Amino acid sequence: MKRQWKFVVVLIAGVISLILEFGLHTSTLFTTPLLKLEMNPQAIIIDILGIWISILLLMEIFEDWKSGRYGVDILAVIAIVSTILINNYWAEWMILVMSTGGETLEDYATGQASKELRSLLNNTPRIANKLVNGTITEVKVDELNIGDIVLIKPGQQVPVDGEIVKGDSSFDQSSLTGESVPVAKKPGDNLMSGSVNGDAAVQMKVTKAAKDSEYQSIVALAKSSQAQPAKFVKMADRYAVPFTIISLIIGGVAWAVSKDPTRFAEVMVVASPCPLLIAAPVALVSGMSSMSAHHIIVKSGPTLEKLARAKTFAFDKTGTLTENQLVVDQIVPADATISQNELQGLAASVEQQSSHVIASSLVKATNKNLIKPVTNLKETTAQGVEGDVDGKHVKVGKLKFVAPDHEKIDVNSTAVFVSIDNKFAGYITLMDEMRPETPDTIAKLKRQGAQDIMMLTGDHKAVAEKVGGKAGITDIRADLLPAEKIKAIREVPKDLRPVVMTGDGVNDAPSLTADVGIAMGAKGATAASESADAVIMVNDLSKINDAVAISKHTMKVANIDVLTAIGVVIIIELIAFTGVIPAFWGAILQEVVDMITISLGLLAKTTPSKKQFGLEE
């Protein structure tokens, strides 16, 4: 608890003053018509403490004023000074308890609300079993270098990103990807740091340093999100000016009517702004914690506010709306002498040893019975591959490579061309496979209040429109360069902002210019980028709906909490106006309001309504 020490000092001063209260005789040195100054040790201790804390608050107020912000801390200072002037040092002490205790309660509630983030930090891999000439040496994770061989025993966490070089096992990746079933891994497969080994030991070659590995990247994000609340802890400040004016008017009228300055102090005591200062941060941090539990890491409170008000959502196509896995769309033989199956089989046979995404996608989409051995394989960089299959010389790649003399063929999608024995044999087109959750995600966003949904892609218009049509998106911008994507976002009118941009890589240029940038960070170390405001840690686009729903729910709770705190405090002020609440008991009532405020703020961790999730109109 960063601010607990002030609360402890106030409590110690109270205990000492209480002992002095019953152990020493007090005497009044002088009295004025307005003030009664009673100089005794306990009064001196509490007054010095009150002046000191008032100075600290005034320094914060001054910094706020320089930044153009007007907070409610001024009421706390007025309340402290008022009790000093009327010599009600026990009421003064209760205000100090309320002020510093409120900060401590805020820290405690913040810590409770963010326990999911803390558990992530506590589980960070720290030690690795490094293999050197067959000998196991325990080293710190930060000391591992790319190329080192690490032994991962059953039940151990993968310390850094790497590639299995020996052994087969299954790995629990649920903390990273949300997959509930362990994933089988064999030599050549990649491992993400933070995943947990199953029941067999494996040896892994380090491919990324600790600071660049997946789990450490997530931890860096979590630390960032925990450091941000200080920027939004005073959401209630937007109500500061009217609340301060109302409280001063009530206190001033009470003084004027009663002719007693004590009445003004009693009103100021209950006007202390502690509940208002607690309401927003508890709700917002609870919301961020709820996001974390849904595998969404949000860096700051303002991101929640913008997401809750978002009117425009922009999406990259490949890897975001689609799977980033190509599927065969059309198989077009040149003539009737070759069938579609034969054309696809010959092309996949030649491509089976290539690691290119088009080649691997074609091979994956082809029946294994159609794929045959290839000999005399040769690859021409950026052009294509060729080889012999069943006595036929097959070329696969660009048209100029497979059939240089053939007339140009216009294909509005990714395509590979095929020739057999140097004769053009046809072509195969591939397209991005849409994520199964994409159409439902878009439909829910519209029900959640999205007024415009855009697709921003560098792909061909025909391909983009095909994907957009299936997804339910009508505002489609295709053939865009990165600068044109940025321009499209910047040109969104004010009445359609905030704009949320979602891409499969955090470093997408458009995310830098959007009001909120969200990255689909499940498949790589992109989670560490500071350009995105939020990262979805599972490979599920529908988490966008969860993010919007949780944000709307959080801001609803936060605003209700703040307004409730203001309403309750003003009611108590009006009661204090009559003089039936002594300053001391007014301060105790404030602590009760504090607890109510914290309880309401923690409701942000509850499940949003079906309407907020976009499940109903």
Side-chain angles (χ1 to χ4, degrees):
M1 297 184 183
K2 297 178 181 178
R3 298 173 289 186
Q4 185 180 16
W5 64 275
K6 287 191 286 185
F7 180 59
V8 172
V9 170
V10 170
L11 288 181
I12 292 174
V15 171
I16 293 173
S17 298
L18 191 63
I19 294 173
L20 294 175
E21 179 81 13
F22 292 99
L24 294 176
H25 176 69
T26 62
S27 60
T28 300
L29 297 184
F30 61 90
T31 307
T32 70
L34 291 178
L35 307 176
K36 181 181 180 183
L37 300 181
E38 189 173 299
M39 299 301 294
N40 56 49
Q42 56 267 40
I44 293 173
I45 290 172
I46 295 176
D47 285 350
I48 290 174
L49 195 58
I51 293 170
W52 170 61
I53 290 180
S54 295
I55 291 172
L56 294 179
L57 287 173
L58 285 171
M59 290 171 64
E60 292 180 15
I61 292 169
F62 181 68
E63 290 299 318
D64 286 344
W65 285 355
K66 286 197 301 184
S67 303
R69 300 191 304 270
Y70 301 93
V72 289
D73 283 334
I74 189 66
L75 287 176
V77 175
I78 293 174
I80 293 170
V81 173
S82 299
T83 50
I84 290 175
L85 294 178
I86 65 170
N87 195 39
N88 194 331
Y89 51 87
W90 285 116
E92 177 190 353
W93 180 75
M94 280 302 300
I95 296 172
L96 298 177
V97 169
M98 178 178 57
S99 180
T100 58
E103 292 176 344
T104 302
L105 286 171
E106 179 187 323
D107 286 344
Y108 174 77
T110 296
Q112 291 298 303
S114 60
K115 61 184 178 182
E116 287 90 353
L117 294 181
R118 292 203 316 279
S119 67
L120 189 68
L121 302 179
N122 294 335
N123 291 327
T124 304
R126 292 179 174 85
I127 300 296
N129 297 315
K130 182 179 176 180
L131 282 173
V132 181
N133 298 324
T135 303
I136 300 176
T137 304
E138 283 196 352
V139 299
K140 293 180 180 179
V141 170
D142 291 338
E143 296 175 359
L144 290 174
N145 298 311
I146 295 174
D148 286 347
I149 303 300
V150 175
L151 176 67
I152 305 171
K153 298 177 182 179
Q156 286 187 335
Q157 274 188 315
V158 178
V160 294
D161 290 359
E163 177 185 320
I164 294 180
V165 294
K166 184 178 180 180
D168 296 8
S169 189
S170 59
F171 288 80
D172 181 357
Q173 302 180 154
S174 58
S175 64
L176 300 166
T177 65
E179 295 173 281
S180 57
V181 180
V183 180
K185 298 284 186 177
K186 61 184 185 303
D189 289 342
N190 293 324
L191 293 179
M192 291 187 291
S193 63
S195 55
V196 180
N197 190 10
D199 53 8
V202 299
Q203 293 181 21
M204 179 194 79
K205 180 174 70 175
V206 176
T207 58
K208 289 182 180 177
K211 62 183 178 65
D212 299 320
S213 292
E214 181 67 18
Y215 197 88
Q216 285 78 2
S217 300
I218 300 171
V219 168
L221 258 179
K223 287 181 178 178
S224 173
S225 67
Q226 285 188 312
Q228 290 296 325
K231 293 186 177 181
F232 59 85
V233 294
K234 293 186 179 180
M235 173 185 167
D237 283 354
R238 69 187 61 175
Y239 306 103
V241 174
F243 178 70
T244 301
I245 292 173
I246 290 172
S247 298
L248 289 175
I249 289 174
I250 293 174
V253 173
W255 186 352
V257 171
S258 65
K259 311 298 184 184
D260 183 0
T262 301
R263 194 69 57 84
F264 176 80
E266 290 170 351
V267 173
M268 288 300 100
V269 167
V270 297
S272 185
C274 222
L276 276 68
L277 300 179
I278 293 174
V282 172
L284 289 170
V285 176
S286 294
M288 292 171 69
S289 173
S290 181
M291 286 280 202
S292 178
H294 283 77
H295 299 285
I296 307 163
I297 294 183
V298 177
K299 288 186 178 181
S300 68
T303 297
L304 288 176
E305 295 189 59
K306 292 175 185 176
L307 265 173
R309 297 184 292 107
K311 296 180 181 179
T312 298
F313 290 82
F315 293 90
D316 181 33
K317 180 181 74 68
T318 306
T320 303
L321 297 174
T322 63
E323 290 276 20
N324 203 17
Q325 174 66 50
L326 298 173
V327 294
V328 173
D329 183 26
Q330 292 179 306
I331 303 173
V332 185
D335 52 48
T337 61
I338 183 170
S339 68
Q340 289 183 334
N341 281 346
E342 184 180 6
L343 182 66
Q344 183 177 357
L346 289 172
S349 297
V350 176
E351 294 274 33
Q352 64 184 304
Q353 295 185 31
S354 174
S355 60
H356 193 278
V357 63
I358 295 177
S360 60
S361 298
L362 177 59
V363 172
K364 185 177 180 180
T366 303
N367 189 311
K368 292 182 179 180
N369 295 327
L370 297 175
I371 301 176
K372 301 177 181 180
V374 58
T375 58
N376 300 320
L377 187 67
K378 180 183 177 182
E379 182 170 356
T380 303
T381 305
Q383 297 298 317
V385 294
E386 57 185 303
D388 296 329
V389 181
D390 276 351
K392 300 174 182 177
H393 187 70
V394 181
K395 286 186 174 182
V396 182
K398 293 184 177 180
L399 183 60
K400 287 184 179 181
F401 173 71
V402 304
D405 298 328
H406 197 281
E407 62 183 10
K408 183 180 178 181
I409 300 176
D410 291 324
V411 181
N412 291 324
S413 61
T414 302
V416 292
F417 298 89
V418 185
S419 69
I420 301 174
D421 294 330
N422 294 317
K423 180 183 177 182
F424 180 70
Y427 62 91
I428 301 171
T429 64
L430 299 97
M431 64 176 293
D432 282 342
E433 184 176 15
M434 182 181 291
R435 291 176 180 270
E437 72 271 18
T438 294
D440 187 53
T441 298
I442 301 303
K444 286 180 179 177
L445 282 177
K446 293 176 180 178
R447 290 196 292 270
Q448 286 175 310
Q451 296 182 20
D452 186 25
I453 298 178
M454 301 189 295
M455 178 198 293
L456 304 178
T457 179
D459 212 339
H460 299 294
K461 184 177 180 181
V463 176
E465 288 181 342
K466 191 172 184 178
V467 173
K470 290 182 180 179
I473 300 174
T474 56
D475 189 354
I476 299 169
R477 321 282 180 91
D479 299 304
L480 297 181
L481 297 172
E484 292 172 322
K485 292 183 180 182
I486 294 172
K487 183 180 178 183
I489 290 177
R490 284 178 175 169
E491 290 179 348
V492 173
K494 288 183 179 180
D495 60 339
L496 289 178
R497 288 186 175 273
V499 179
V500 178
M501 173 69 193
T502 303
D504 64 324
V506 187
N507 288 319
D508 284 344
S511 69
L512 295 171
T513 56
D515 298 306
V516 177
I518 298 179
M520 300 289 292
K523 290 189 175 181
T526 53
S529 171
E530 296 181 1
S531 63
D533 301 294
V535 180
I536 295 174
M537 301 311 304
V538 292
N539 194 28
D540 185 355
L541 186 65
S542 69
K543 289 296 179 181
I544 295 289
N545 299 129
D546 293 351
V548 173
I550 293 169
S551 297
K552 287 181 179 292
H553 179 61
T554 299
M555 296 315 300
K556 180 179 179 180
V557 169
N559 280 289
I560 289 175
D561 200 5
V562 170
L563 293 174
T564 299
I566 289 175
V568 171
V569 169
I570 289 178
I571 290 172
I572 297 176
E573 286 179 19
L574 293 173
I575 297 173
F577 176 93
T578 64
V580 299
I581 303 179
F584 179 82
W585 289 104
I588 292 179
L589 278 176
Q590 273 287 310
E591 292 296 334
V592 175
V593 178
D594 285 350
M595 298 307 299
I596 294 173
T597 300
I598 290 172
S599 300
L600 285 174
L602 290 173
L603 290 177
K605 292 188 70 174
T606 59
T607 304
S609 67
K610 289 184 177 181
K611 184 174 182 179
Q612 288 170 326
F613 269 122
L615 297 176
E616 59 185 31
E617 295 290 348

